[in-house]
Amino acid sequence: AAQLPAVQRDFYLEHPDVAALTPEQVQALRAQLCITIHGDAARCPNPVGSFVQASFPQYILDALLKVGFSTPTAIQRQGWPVAMKGMDAIGLAETGSGKTLTYLLPAIVHVNAQPVLTDGDGPLALVLAPTRELAEQIHEEVVRFGQPCGVKSVCIYGGVAIGLQGSSRSANLGAYATPAEAELAISSLMPGGP
């Protein structure tokens, strides 16, 4: 059996200012930002106050500045440290609150840290969206932030032949409109697939 390469999950380097927050300050900050932690709050990293504190590489910081973002939203302030540590999370927030970049920017960091794909490897990151429209919006953000740092993406949705939507074989980040479309695209990578 082939040995799978090790996958690094934790890319988070806690900023000294974030590490210096007392539990009381963290609790007050979360209350101010309307952040609720369910589960073991002691394991959850402290929220960050800036893009630099989120431990992103320079290419992500440059992309954020280029589009004119000045400060992270509440869900980003808490979500980025969690995602950069490679932890599992479910984030709920209003439309327009920055949820997409909360998971997308750490995904780009994780994708770029893995060995380069060889032909037929398929995506390293997968985003499932409930509708074609949302999948297309997510794909636009992947292109906007991922393309400058070499992340190739594909958006797959029903009603159009997969071959006309781009090659899932060369993409390292895929956005799919439904689980059924993801299953079809992934099965197309397998020997004897459709």
Side-chain angles (χ1 to χ4, degrees), residues 107-121:
I108 290 170
V109 172
H110 284 262
V111 163
N112 278 333
Q114 306 313 319
V116 176
L117 293 176
T118 58
D119 188 40
D121 280 348

Side-chain angles (χ1 to χ4, degrees), residues 5-109:
V7 176
Q8 180 182 352
R9 291 177 50 106
D10 188 349
F11 296 93
Y12 185 59
L13 301 171
E14 190 172 45
H15 191 277
D17 293 344
V18 176
L21 294 172
T22 66
E24 295 77 21
Q25 289 172 316
V26 170
Q27 186 177 6
L29 182 57
R30 286 180 178 149
Q32 175 191 350
L33 297 171
C34 299
I35 295 171
T36 304
I37 305 297
H38 295 279
D40 188 358
R43 283 192 57 231
C44 186
N46 295 343
V48 298
S50 69
F51 299 128
V52 171
Q53 290 179 351
S55 186
F56 285 127
Q58 191 62 47
Y59 63 84
I60 296 286
L61 297 174
D62 291 344
L64 288 165
L65 290 174
K66 183 178 178 181
V67 297
F69 291 159
S70 59
T71 186
T73 66
I75 194 167
Q76 292 167 346
R77 290 177 69 173
Q78 184 62 73
W80 282 337
V82 171
M84 290 295 286
K85 283 191 75 60
M87 299 172 75
D88 295 331
I90 296 173
L92 305 174
E94 294 179 8
T95 300
S97 62
K99 292 183 299 291
T100 301
L101 289 185
T102 301
Y103 63 81
L104 187 61
L105 296 183
I108 290 170
V109 172

Side-chain angles (χ1 to χ4, degrees), residues 129 131-140 155-157 175-177:
T131 66
R132 172 183 178 164
E133 293 75 19
L134 185 56
E136 288 174 327
Q137 289 172 10
I138 293 166
H139 179 69
E140 287 173 15
C155 184
I156 305 289
Y157 44 82
Y176 302 95

